[in-house]
């Protein structure tokens, strides 16, 4: 019985060492992938309008989310149009990912889960 216990302890120690080596390899590979993609990611999450904001600013009319591009956000300022001789003032932004107001926490987490290491 003692011989079996000793053998099991030795095997457990070997498995723990193997697990540690594999975890270090996983982290190294993860870091390599992140470096290849570029270490900095910029995400934009637009929160829903609060009820008191809805009355003041009429929703999110100034923000536009291009339907076929989940990496772009367009900001237009209609109040500035009259200051620039009738030209439409528009700002185009590009991110690694844009999350519109209706996006759930689950969707955001699924997108960034691979970037986070525990």
């Amino acid at each position: 019985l003692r011989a079996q216990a000793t053998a099991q302890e030795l095997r457990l120690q070997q498995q723990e060492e193997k697990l540690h080596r594999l975890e270090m390899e996983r982290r190294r590979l993860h870091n390599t992938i992140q470096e290849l993609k570029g270490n900095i990611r910029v995400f934009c999450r637009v929160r829903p309008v609060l009820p008191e904001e809805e009355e003041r600013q009429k929703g999110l009319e100034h923000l536009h989310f291009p339907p076929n591009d989940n990496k772009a956000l367009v900001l237009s300022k209609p109040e500035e149009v009259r200051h620039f001789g009738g030209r439409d003032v528009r700002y185009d932004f590009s991110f690694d990912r844009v999350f519109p107001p209706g996006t759930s926490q689950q969707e955001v987490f699924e997108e960034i889960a691979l970037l986070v290491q525990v």
Side-chain angles (χ1 to χ4, degrees), residues 45-103:
R45 183 174 190 193
V46 179
R47 68 170 171 78
V49 177
L50 299 174
E52 56 272 11
E53 295 170 331
E54 185 81 43
E55 295 170 10
R56 280 186 306 210
Q57 65 190 35
K58 300 179 185 172
L60 296 174
E61 294 174 348
H62 59 289
L63 292 178
H64 305 281
F65 305 92
N68 298 327
D69 187 359
N70 65 3
K71 296 181 178 193
L73 175 66
V74 178
L75 171 68
S76 60
K77 293 192 170 187
E79 68 275 2
E80 290 183 12
V81 170
R82 61 180 166 263
H83 298 297
F84 292 101
R87 288 186 304 161
D88 187 19
V89 178
R90 174 184 160 116
Y91 304 96
D92 294 300
F93 297 96
S94 181
F95 300 93
D96 287 299
R97 178 70 197 268
V98 174
F99 300 100
T103 306

